[in-house]
Amino acid sequence: MWVYEKKLLYPVEVTTCNPMLARYIMEQYGGADGELAAALRYMNQRYTVPDKVIGLLTDISTEEFSHLEMLATMIYKLTKDATPEQLEKAGLGAHFVNHGHSLFYENAGGVPFTTTYIQSKGDPIADLYEDIAAEEKARATYQWLIDISDDPGINDALRFLRERENIHSLRFREAVELLKDERDRKKIF
């Protein structure tokens, strides 16, 4: 199903050690509206949608996994040289005690990822509206991360991710219209 290339979807450059920024970026890594939740949501939903949109959900889910890889790279690069004291000052002391410098799916507040973040109703139109909302929430979060970051390399990658969320939202909107047209078409038996 996948072919893995040993390169990121978009380059991630980090100019300085910044555990506080890494903590904020964790919201998109393991939070309710983050990339892991989106990737799993879309991959799961693809089994209960009409054939016309299965490929769309698979494609976007796959891309969300690549976004997750970019976020992991950002977090790792922002924290790899941090001392335990710097991590503690950034609010990552408990994370360090539990995981060292290893990444762990949690949000910016340290709450572990949970599958309750994954929405799937089984109604294709309802699910696609949920997906549109998820993409818009992710877009907003990326903008807020850009607003608080002063790292030009991180901001460049975050802008890329923000724009991809816009594209995904548009693609899901197109799919809703396609399914609504099909639903509203007069059926004669």
Side-chain angles (χ1 to χ4, degrees):
M1 180 170 179
W2 287 293
V3 175
Y4 178 71
E5 290 185 46
K6 292 185 178 190
K7 66 177 190 169
L8 294 175
L9 181 64
Y10 191 85
V12 172
E13 302 295 330
V14 174
T15 57
T16 185
C17 176
N18 188 339
M20 185 63 80
L21 182 56
R23 177 179 172 197
Y24 296 145
I25 291 172
M26 285 177 173
E27 189 62 36
Q28 288 299 87
Y29 188 67
D33 302 316
E35 302 292 356
L36 179 61
L40 295 174
R41 175 185 303 121
Y42 308 152
M43 190 60 68
N44 187 58
Q45 289 173 351
R46 69 186 289 277
Y47 292 98
T48 56
V49 297
D51 290 346
K52 292 180 179 184
V53 295
I54 288 174
L56 174 66
L57 286 166
T58 304
D59 290 349
I60 295 177
S61 174
T62 300
E63 185 174 337
E64 300 292 8
F65 281 117
S66 70
H67 295 177
L68 197 63
E69 184 179 29
M70 289 175 63
L71 292 168
T73 301
M74 289 180 208
I75 294 164
Y76 177 74
K77 286 182 173 184
L78 287 166
T79 60
K80 70 182 175 79
D81 296 325
T83 65
E85 293 77 23
Q86 288 173 308
L87 293 169
E88 188 172 9
K89 185 177 178 186
L92 293 171
H95 175 96
F96 180 74
V97 168
N98 284 317
H99 310 288
H101 281 80
S102 177
L103 276 68
F104 184 75
Y105 293 109
E106 60 191 9
N107 69 12
V111 177
F113 180 83
T114 172
T115 56
T116 59
Y117 297 158
I118 302 168
Q119 299 298 317
S120 185
K121 195 67 176 169
D123 177 279
I125 293 174
D127 283 344
L128 287 167
Y129 276 122
E130 170 64 33
D131 299 344
I132 292 165
E135 294 295 328
E136 293 298 333
K137 290 184 273 187
R139 177 200 48 77
T141 303
Y142 280 125
Q143 183 59 53
W144 296 327
L145 288 168
I146 292 165
D147 292 346
I148 64 166
S149 169
D150 61 356
D151 188 306
I154 292 287
N155 285 348
D156 183 50
L158 291 173
R159 278 190 293 276
F160 171 81
L161 292 169
R162 180 194 61 200
E163 292 311 310
R164 293 307 301 161
E165 304 304 336
N166 285 331
I167 299 300
H168 296 167
S169 178
L170 290 171
R171 297 290 314 277
F172 285 139
R173 290 171 198 273
E174 292 166 359
V176 165
E177 293 309 312
L178 179 73
L179 294 182
K180 283 170 45 180
D181 287 346
E182 186 175 293
R183 176 196 65 190
D184 296 340
R185 191 174 309 133
K186 194 176 255 186
K187 295 176 177 67
I188 300 172
F189 297 98

